[in-house]
Amino acid sequence: MKKLILFDLDGTLLDTLEDLAEAVNHALALRGLPLHSLEEYRSMVGHGVRNLVKQALEASLPPHSGLDPESDALIDDALADFKEYYQAHIDVHTHPYPGMPELLADLQARGVQLAVASNKFQEGTEYLVQKLFPEISFVAILGNRPGWPLKPDPGIVQEVLRCSGVAPADALMVGDSPTDMRTAANGGIEALAVTWGYRTAEELAGNHLVTSVPALRIELLGFYVSQPMSTAPSAFETPLQQLVYEKFTSANIPFTRVDTDPGITMEDCAHISARIGVDIVKTIFLCNRQQTDFYLYVTSHDKPFVTREFCGALGIPRVSFASAEKLWELTGVRVGATTILSGVWPACAGVHLVMDASIAAFDWFACTDGTPTCFVKLRTRDLLEKYLAGREIVQI
């Protein structure tokens, strides 16, 4: 684990695009110039607000307008209007990317030093970081300051390293642009490129890409799986999760569970399976075209789902994946947490339960408990004969 992580701000920690776009469009409108869309601004940000305003002017000025987009006077005048508007509306739409505050808090709890290295003007950088991440103690919050060069100059990296006392080998930069990647390289530190910001994966090609905040969490902290436990969670995330453990108690079913980071990919499930000692099953929620018949189908984690084979085994018309709304309504879970343990959910009474015969024959069964962050292991016999007593389960 790295000892120091430098985060870019716009497009990495925060989605600031809409507020930036509205402020530049305000400056353009004052001059009677054409405005730009949010997507057009996506490729302009990341090089400081002066460059942002300059690019917007260049794209808006009509040919033969008589105005020079390279004119310092024109850019400075528009920049002043931009700043006045932006400073008054800097946090109207701006927000952290989902999961980012929690990730920063967990990194801080692990003793990792955190810093912000941005090309946004210093006052705006400090204001947004302190307002939107009030619980995080950053070792440095650095933006565009008079007399200091912008990224990709390595000066900002070197300053953070001095503030933290960390060696370059123990530092990492996380950003959403080629500029961030060059900054890290120039500063002699490693980097991760995130794709949820303002640059495409194609623009970031050749770098170590991270496609989501949960994936970044795993990159920085590793995939978390707790030690096995035999007690219910101290607090329940959903009504179904509470019902699951109440049923375990009332039916006298021993179980083992682990708390985890969100189990999303096959690799995540492999981490969980290794800790719990049995492969996690895959459960699919299906329905017919008329959405009158629904199926919870339990199969091996690595077995591809083939509609023709499934329908042929049951002698039913073609089925497809049911909607997230129906999943929640009929099984009490969100996407990513589908489980046959929903069989005790009242609204699930009319849902057909289907299981591969190979799964039913195995001694142990492991699945999510109705949340993407908790997985349980119990004897397959207990599942079929006690937990789902009274429910018909078709084996195919």
Side-chain angles (χ1 to χ4, degrees):
M1 183 185 300
K2 296 295 184 181
K3 297 179 180 179
L4 168 68
I5 301 175
L6 295 78
F7 287 93
D8 172 55
L9 187 64
D10 299 44
T12 301
L13 291 177
L14 301 178
D15 186 350
T16 60
L17 187 62
E18 192 168 355
D19 284 329
L20 287 167
E22 288 186 357
V24 182
N25 277 341
H26 170 77
L28 296 176
L30 291 178
R31 288 155 180 78
L33 295 173
L35 309 185
H36 304 302
S37 70
L38 205 61
E39 286 308 306
E40 289 174 301
Y41 280 115
R42 189 174 297 276
S43 63
M44 299 183 191
V45 298
H47 306 285
V49 293
R50 182 180 176 81
N51 285 319
L52 170 61
V53 170
K54 178 183 177 182
Q55 289 184 72
L57 286 170
E58 290 174 343
S60 290
L61 287 173
H64 315 298
S65 66
L67 296 175
D68 179 10
E70 299 291 332
S71 165
D72 286 338
L74 175 62
I75 297 170
D76 288 342
D77 189 44
L79 180 60
D81 289 329
F82 161 85
K83 283 187 174 180
E84 180 181 8
Y85 185 93
Y86 186 61
Q87 288 174 336
H89 304 84
I90 192 170
D91 55 0
V92 174
H93 304 290
T94 291
H95 59 273
Y97 287 101
M100 192 58 75
E102 295 82 0
L103 172 58
L104 294 181
D106 287 344
L107 286 166
Q108 181 171 266
R110 300 274 188 97
V112 179
Q113 295 190 68
L114 306 173
V116 173
S118 175
N119 275 346
K120 183 187 285 293
F121 62 100
Q122 182 67 25
E123 297 84 359
T125 300
E126 289 181 353
Y127 174 79
L128 289 175
V129 170
Q130 291 168 357
K131 178 180 180 181
L132 298 177
F133 303 109
E135 305 300 321
I136 305 302
S137 299
F138 292 93
V139 67
I141 302 173
L142 302 180
N144 181 9
R145 298 156 293 163
W148 286 83
L150 294 173
K151 297 182 295 185
D153 187 276
I156 197 167
V157 172
Q158 293 163 355
E159 186 175 358
V160 174
L161 292 174
R162 286 194 299 271
C163 292
S164 64
V166 171
D170 293 321
L172 172 76
M173 185 158 197
V174 178
D176 74 311
S177 72
T179 297
D180 295 318
M181 302 301 101
R182 291 196 299 273
T183 304
N186 293 341
I189 65 174
E190 295 180 29
L192 294 176
V194 303
T195 60
W196 58 77
Y198 306 146
R199 297 293 183 268
T200 64
E202 289 72 22
E203 291 175 279
L204 294 166
N207 297 290
H208 187 161
L209 301 185
V210 183
T211 59
S212 68
V213 176
L216 177 62
R217 178 187 182 87
I218 294 171
E219 289 281 354
L220 299 180
L221 291 170
F223 188 82
Y224 171 72
V225 183
S226 73
Q227 292 297 321
M229 298 168 278
S230 58
T231 57
S234 57
F236 298 110
E237 295 183 29
T238 67
L240 172 66
Q241 188 187 36
Q242 180 174 354
L243 185 58
V244 165
Y245 291 97
E246 290 176 349
K247 181 67 174 182
F248 286 162
T249 299
S250 65
N252 194 28
I253 298 174
F255 66 89
T256 300
R257 73 175 180 90
V258 290
D259 292 330
T260 74
D261 283 330
I264 300 171
T265 67
M266 294 287 286
E267 185 177 1
D268 299 340
C269 289
H271 287 297
I272 299 167
S273 296
R275 179 59 59 86
I276 209 168
V278 61
D279 286 340
I280 304 297
V281 300
K282 177 169 63 179
T283 306
I284 307 171
F285 188 52
L286 305 159
C287 68
N288 62 356
R289 183 176 299 177
Q290 297 78 19
Q291 296 191 55
T292 55
D293 288 314
F294 294 86
Y295 303 84
L296 271 175
Y297 172 43
V298 180
T299 186
S300 301
H301 69 281
D302 56 353
K303 178 181 177 181
F305 174 68
V306 180
T307 305
R308 182 180 64 257
E309 293 178 1
F310 177 82
C311 296
L314 294 178
I316 59 174
R318 184 180 180 86
V319 296
S320 59
F321 297 105
S323 68
E325 291 75 19
K326 284 295 183 181
L327 178 68
W328 175 251
E329 174 189 341
L330 297 180
T331 73
V333 304
R334 301 295 187 188
V335 173
T338 310
T339 177
I340 198 171
L341 298 181
S342 290
V344 299
W345 187 245
C348 193
V351 174
H352 303 283
L353 306 183
V354 184
M355 182 179 292
D356 280 350
S358 59
I359 299 293
F362 200 60
D363 288 339
W364 293 96
F365 184 92
C367 64
T368 168
D369 69 354
T371 70
T373 56
C374 191
F375 291 76
V376 294
K377 168 186 171 182
L378 65 158
R379 289 196 175 276
T380 308
R381 177 178 295 180
D382 285 341
L383 171 72
L384 301 178
E385 299 179 2
K386 294 182 179 179
Y387 186 89
L388 295 173
R391 291 297 310 263
E392 179 183 6
I393 304 168
V394 178
Q395 296 183 27
I396 58 176

